[in-house]
Amino acid sequence: MEMQQTETPRAVIVISSHVARGSVGNRAAVFALETLGFPVWAVPTVILPWHPGHGRATRIVPDAEQFASLLGDLERAPWLGEVAAVLSGYLGDARQAAAVASLVGAVKTKNPKALYVCDPVMGDLGGLYVPQAIAEAMRDTLLPIADIATPNRYELAWMSGVQLDDIKSVVGAALVAGPSTMLVTSAPAMMAGGTGNLLLTASDALLSEHRIIERPPNGLGDLTAAVFLARLLDGQPSGKALQSTTASVFEILARTAKRGADELTLETDAQSLSHPMAMVHLRHLTHPGKDRRA
């Protein structure tokens, strides 16, 4: 029997890795979204005792058929109308991509305004840290159906096949690589000693910058994707959402680094998610798409 939908959908389905200790993958995204007032349906793609960067450890990946069956159950759930967005991150098996895509389709059939955010977690400066088949599944199956993608600069470079050494090349690659809204983390900054988040939409190219903090803990990309989605679901314009997301993530990073912690201290700095005090600079860049349409 179908449940009556009486309120505006606010739930988010988050599909990513789960660690027992730490603040990466689902641990970061779920905490951020729930802290900001969004119910979460959390689906683990892999279970780990801690982030692999801390050392080799047991890795439990759900059987691909069972994973697809579980997501199929969610597709048929009587509460599917509660869902306002789907956020996918790290995958444990390339075959998981098809199940995620099917669930996204079901959510959008039930709620055509629902957003799908694809965080193609696959690599960083050192190259791919997932098997190439998983990276290809994200690029070929999930990115084409996403409303928003949130790659870091190195993931965008791998997906586009172009070396991205400056902000102009990042803008160009983001324009053609995926959906019309691309949030690229670890983007080159225009300020000395800085890094930035680049947001490219159909009409704007915006860069939000902050100073680089050396040896940052993992989970910043997961946190950025979740907070940016929460800002959009709360109705913030894209520029304000970018700036406030960058401020929150940078503030948590800076406070974590000051404590010398090896994981993001989200539980201690939860206030930074909703009321960041950090100042970050927002630049309006030239949008190359506008030049071509002129």
Side-chain angles (χ1 to χ4, degrees):
M1 186 173 68
E2 187 164 335
M3 303 285 288
Q4 286 286 5
Q5 184 68 33
T6 58
E7 297 181 359
T8 301
R10 281 184 67 81
V12 179
I13 301 177
V14 181
I15 308 168
S16 191
S17 58
H18 175 82
V19 293
R21 175 191 184 271
S23 299
V24 300
N26 269 7
R27 290 293 302 276
V30 172
F31 182 90
L33 285 160
E34 290 184 340
T35 297
L36 293 170
F38 294 90
V40 176
W41 301 10
V43 179
T45 56
V46 59
I47 302 170
L48 302 157
W50 49 70
H51 186 275
H54 293 312
R56 293 179 63 86
T58 301
R59 174 186 176 92
I60 301 172
V61 179
D63 174 82
E65 290 187 7
Q66 289 184 324
F67 182 85
S69 294
L70 188 146
L71 265 60
D73 289 343
L74 296 184
E75 291 182 26
R76 296 181 291 274
W79 315 279
L80 197 65
E82 298 172 358
V83 178
V86 178
L87 167 61
S88 72
Y90 186 93
L91 298 183
D93 185 312
R95 291 169 291 181
Q96 293 174 346
V100 173
S102 179
L103 176 59
V104 169
V107 169
K108 285 181 168 286
T109 297
K110 189 71 175 178
N111 175 14
K113 293 182 179 180
L115 295 175
Y116 170 45
V117 180
C118 175
D119 184 11
V121 181
M122 62 177 72
D124 55 24
L125 184 58
L128 290 181
Y129 49 62
V130 301
Q132 184 160 329
I134 291 179
E136 290 172 349
M138 292 182 186
R139 180 193 65 194
D140 301 338
T141 302
L142 298 181
L143 208 66
I145 64 171
D147 299 294
I148 302 166
T150 61
N152 63 36
R153 188 205 323 182
Y154 314 106
E155 290 160 347
L156 178 60
W158 185 86
M159 291 188 292
S160 62
V162 178
Q163 192 167 329
L164 305 178
D165 295 325
D166 55 40
I167 195 65
K168 184 176 180 181
S169 62
V170 175
V171 170
L175 192 65
V176 298
S180 60
T181 299
M182 292 280 283
L183 173 56
V184 184
T185 60
S186 306
M190 301 174 74
M191 62 181 280
T195 186
N197 290 328
L198 169 73
L199 179 65
L200 190 73
T201 69
S203 58
D204 293 305
L206 304 167
L207 180 66
S208 189
E209 302 170 310
H210 61 77
R211 63 182 171 86
I212 289 177
I213 292 180
E214 298 296 335
R215 296 180 297 279
N218 298 105
L220 295 170
D222 307 303
L223 184 61
T224 298
V227 175
F228 184 67
L229 172 58
R231 302 289 198 250
L232 295 181
L233 292 177
D234 268 338
Q236 286 193 10
S238 57
K240 183 179 179 182
L242 172 67
Q243 190 167 25
S244 63
T245 297
T246 305
S248 286
V249 175
F250 172 64
E251 187 170 300
I252 291 171
L253 169 60
R255 291 180 172 178
T256 296
K258 189 174 182 180
R259 294 187 188 100
D262 65 350
E263 291 281 350
L264 293 173
T265 48
L266 299 182
E267 69 293 331
T268 307
D269 298 316
Q271 186 73 7
S272 298
L273 292 169
S274 51
H275 297 98
M277 304 297 289
M279 299 296 292
V280 296
H281 188 68
L282 185 67
R283 298 181 188 270
H284 292 257
L285 309 178
T286 300
H287 193 297
K290 288 183 176 179
D291 294 341
R292 288 206 293 266
R293 290 194 297 267

